[in-house]
Amino acid sequence: MTSISDPNAIVVDPALIGEIDWNDLRYFLAVSRTGSFSRAASTLNTHQSTVSRRIQILEDRLRSRLFSRTAQGVVPTREGQALIYQAERVEAIMFDLRRQIAGGNTRLTGAVRIGTTDGFGVYWITPRLPELTAAHPGLMIDVRCSEFDPSLERLEADIILRLGDEVQEPNSHNETLGHMPFRFYASRDYLTRAGTPTTWDEIINQHRIVVHDHYPTDGPWKPWSELARHPQHVAYRTNSSAALVEATNSGLGISLMSAYIHNKLPTLIPLIDPPGWQRPSLPVVLVYHHDMRRTKRVEVVIRFLRDAFRAWVQEDLPIIS
């Protein structure tokens, strides 16, 4: 590799081009994006030693050092920065090719990956999947739970079903299915021990609360957000919706939770809204990539999720409200 003035260009010995493995570039991009061999390994679902070996092979083939180690982690060298641009171009081509191939797949077999939050994935999506897999036994549903959206463009998921704002990603389609209300819940044991509040003053002065870190803080959410900022009121705090459910069900305090939990845990009791409280809600958004929409197995899962939410709105939402 020779020194060049254009930071977005890289000169590679033509004899080496055929030896560069796309997987080596994939590992290289993961390290450059995470700034860590260990985090890259976690992202790629492999071992740190495998990532290190792949990077060493790539560096040997390009005859250049691609990363420097610093106190903050690993950072790309000048040659590494130049390679990022070219590797991302290859990545875009590879993902585009894979989506086009998948888009022409008319078989109702194989994996479909759904990106969602952990609470929605555990308590709303997963209990409904036996109906889908019974109708289409060739499908394997892979539910990826995280508070952060996977990339449809990079094929980290085929579908996203989330609570919150639309996903801003190129070539994707957002469809708002409806809104998920939130209300106060507590366990039966907790209410027996601490009493059942009926006003805001009683919640503030007599009860402990269970808090989720990723809730909005404005509009109808503001009173709860302000209460959650005071440590003396908070018994438990988490960034996980599933952990929020378990903490509330264990009797740690009162929580504000999605109403999908209403019929799943009978030990959780919905509380009467305090006077003046406006119950908040979040949109339920279904997202998919335009290319993947043509894949038969993805199309079937999209239709199933859409119909399942409509049925939930008709059957369960009137009871919850």
Side-chain angles (χ1 to χ4, degrees):
M1 185 179 296
T2 61
S3 177
I4 52 178
S5 58
D6 183 357
N8 289 333
I10 190 167
V11 177
V12 179
D13 183 346
L16 297 176
I17 292 177
E19 299 180 15
I20 297 176
D21 188 329
W22 154 240
N23 281 314
D24 293 339
L25 294 177
R26 188 165 63 93
Y27 280 62
F28 165 77
L29 287 173
V31 174
S32 67
R33 287 165 177 160
T34 62
S36 163
F37 282 79
S38 60
R39 287 195 292 270
S42 178
T43 299
L44 295 165
N45 194 29
T46 188
H47 299 290
Q48 182 175 340
S49 59
T50 302
V51 176
S52 299
R53 178 172 54 83
R54 287 280 194 172
I55 297 302
Q56 186 62 59
I57 290 171
L58 186 60
E59 289 181 329
D60 290 345
R61 285 175 175 167
L62 295 178
R63 299 171 188 164
S64 181
R65 188 180 180 193
L66 300 176
F67 292 103
S68 296
R69 284 180 169 80
T70 70
Q72 289 72 40
V74 294
V75 296
T77 62
R78 181 176 179 277
E79 288 80 5
Q81 287 285 357
L83 183 59
I84 289 172
Y85 173 77
Q86 302 294 355
E88 286 180 337
R89 292 175 63 191
V90 175
E91 178 187 52
I93 292 170
M94 295 295 293
F95 285 148
D96 187 56
L97 179 61
R98 287 172 59 186
R99 284 193 304 270
Q100 289 184 34
I101 292 172
N105 189 341
T106 59
R107 295 177 300 171
L108 270 171
T109 59
V112 178
R113 291 160 298 171
I114 303 172
T116 188
T117 56
D118 62 337
F120 204 41
V122 170
Y123 296 106
W124 194 90
I125 295 176
T126 299
R128 288 166 170 79
L129 294 179
E131 178 184 347
L132 173 65
T133 56
H136 305 288
L139 292 179
M140 191 282 281
I141 308 302
D142 183 350
V143 178
R144 304 279 95 188
C145 294
S146 173
E147 294 298 328
F148 304 100
D149 295 323
S151 170
L152 299 175
E153 191 77 8
R154 294 203 297 269
L155 297 176
E156 294 172 358
D158 302 308
I159 302 166
I160 297 173
L161 187 62
R162 72 189 305 273
L163 300 178
D165 297 330
E166 293 186 350
V167 175
Q168 302 303 317
E169 187 169 353
N171 304 310
S172 65
H173 174 78
N174 284 264
E175 179 180 344
T176 300
L177 302 182
H179 284 76
M180 178 68 68
F182 284 65
R183 65 182 304 174
F184 294 122
Y185 289 89
S187 72
R188 191 180 305 277
D189 289 344
Y190 174 83
L191 296 176
T192 300
R193 184 173 71 251
T196 302
T198 58
T199 67
W200 263 113
D201 285 344
E202 289 179 0
I203 293 176
I204 293 171
N205 295 320
Q206 302 174 25
H207 292 272
R208 306 294 301 283
I209 65 173
V210 178
V211 175
H212 196 302
D213 285 339
H214 292 302
Y215 282 177
T217 58
D218 57 352
W221 303 87
K222 187 175 181 180
W224 181 255
S225 174
E226 291 178 346
L227 182 62
R229 284 202 295 266
H230 298 284
Q232 68 269 26
H233 299 306
V234 179
Y236 183 87
R237 183 183 296 274
T238 182
N239 63 350
S240 162
S241 299
L244 185 81
V245 172
E246 293 307 313
T248 308
N249 196 43
S250 297
L252 285 174
I254 296 170
S255 67
L256 183 62
M257 288 195 295
S258 305
Y260 58 64
I261 202 63
H262 197 87
N263 294 325
K264 296 303 174 187
L265 288 176
T267 51
L268 284 177
I269 308 300
L271 305 183
I272 297 174
D273 293 340
W277 166 255
Q278 180 184 352
R279 192 181 297 175
S281 66
L282 287 175
V284 178
V285 182
L286 177 68
V287 194
Y288 53 85
H289 195 281
H290 289 302
D291 290 341
M292 295 304 295
R293 176 65 174 80
R294 302 194 307 270
T295 307
K296 190 64 176 177
R297 66 180 184 275
V298 175
E299 179 187 6
V300 165
V301 177
I302 290 172
R303 186 168 62 248
F304 174 82
L305 293 173
R306 183 188 295 124
D307 292 345
F309 187 79
R310 288 172 178 167
W312 182 83
V313 168
Q314 293 175 358
E315 296 168 9
D316 289 355
L317 198 54
I319 299 173
I320 295 167
S321 299

